Amino acid sequence: MPIFAIAFMVSRMGTMNISLPDHLKSFVDEQVAGRGYGTSSEYIRELIRRDQDRLVLRQLLVDGGSSARSEPVDGHYFGSLRDRARGRHSK
């Protein structure tokens, strides 16, 4: 990513202060130290991104579950999907 893009992203960050009980702060500090995060903010941002991804996946599952029925998803379906992705068409 170009430097100017990173600078633009950084300048658009807001600030949020949170209070944690001592045992949760210790947990966050351990995660930062043990998992390669530079700061507790990086760790918290990663947790928020994962939660956003989880919510998107949940909505996709709900949408899929409420959609109209289609042909069964079985071995043949996935085989033809792989063939299409590779640019081949199964007969």
Side-chain angles (χ1 to χ4, degrees):
M1 181 176 296
I3 299 279
F4 68 87
I6 293 170
F8 179 72
M9 287 174 48
V10 171
S11 67
R12 293 187 59 210
M13 286 191 188
T15 300
M16 176 183 285
N17 296 313
I18 60 170
S19 299
L20 298 172
D22 288 340
H23 72 282
L24 290 180
K25 183 184 180 314
S26 295
F27 178 79
V28 169
D29 292 341
E30 289 169 12
Q31 299 307 302
V32 170
R35 295 174 63 190
Y37 294 100
T39 64
S40 56
S41 291
E42 288 178 13
Y43 176 67
I44 299 300
R45 282 192 295 270
E46 178 67 21
L47 292 178
I48 292 168
R49 286 185 198 103
R50 287 182 186 184
D51 196 41
Q52 287 175 324
D53 290 346
R54 182 189 60 80
L55 291 171
V56 168
L57 178 58
R58 179 187 165 106
Q59 189 59 54
L60 289 171
L61 290 170
V62 168
D63 292 347
S66 62
S67 65
R69 288 188 176 263
S70 63
E71 63 184 80
V73 177
D74 55 13
H76 176 72
Y77 170 82
F78 284 110
S80 67
L81 189 61
R82 277 190 292 277
D83 288 343
R84 286 194 330 233
R86 292 179 183 133
R88 299 184 300 226
H89 297 287
S90 59
K91 296 176 182 174

